[in-house]
Amino acid sequence: MTQRILQTERLTLFPLAEEHLELEVELDSDPAVMRYLTGRALSREEVEQSHDRRLAAARDVPGLGFWVGFAGGQFIGWWILQPPHGPDQPKIAGEADLGYRLRRRHWRQGYASEGARELIRYGFTELGLDRIFAQTMAVNVASRATMSAAGLSFARAFQSGEPYEDPVSGAEQGEVEYEITRQTWLSLRDS
């Protein structure tokens, strides 16, 4: 199964493709957007490398990958549902990592949680996932609120096993993981 176009009340989520590179460059060149990720804007070369990795993520597990979101023809940001990766995400079949990154002008309008809820629905109903989780820095209050609004619950706090070249301000406070299982999602949906 390949990724498909997803639709919410306000968003259309398209699978990431080559033609979306310039949108990623715009998004990742905003230091406010990148504050809790790199602590700085990314260079075009760094975004191009990230773009290639993002496209490759869609080939790793059929149906998973990155989506770019539009509302009324306007680029909002991207969402991801990808296989677990990295030292703090052991690869477990039936699990996926949820994420999002939005243009600053679209923050606090409910788009992040709206897109996240659609990816959760898609992951459980169409891909048969068992568990979806998201991680962020403990100090990233806005992202943690989005995770809660999307239906995820706090699962754990931890210190990242991945070394930082240039630690982001607040990294010393660690990271957090939120999660939702298919069983929980089904019970919430049916209540």
Side-chain angles (χ1 to χ4, degrees), residues 87-88 135 137 156-164 171 173-176:
D88 305 310
Q135 296 177 338
M137 291 179 63
R156 68 182 177 120
F158 63 98
Q159 291 295 323
S160 179
E162 189 168 318
Y164 293 105
Q173 295 183 38
E175 300 196 33
V176 293

Side-chain angles (χ1 to χ4, degrees), residues 111-122:
Y111 287 117
S113 59
E114 184 175 331
R117 282 190 300 273
E118 175 59 13
L119 284 181
I120 291 167
R121 183 209 59 78
Y122 168 77

Side-chain angles (χ1 to χ4, degrees), residues 68-90:
V68 292
F70 295 86
Q74 190 173 53
F75 174 62
I76 304 297
W78 61 246
W79 285 257
I80 182 173
L81 194 60
Q82 71 178 348
H85 65 288
D88 305 310
Q89 301 178 354

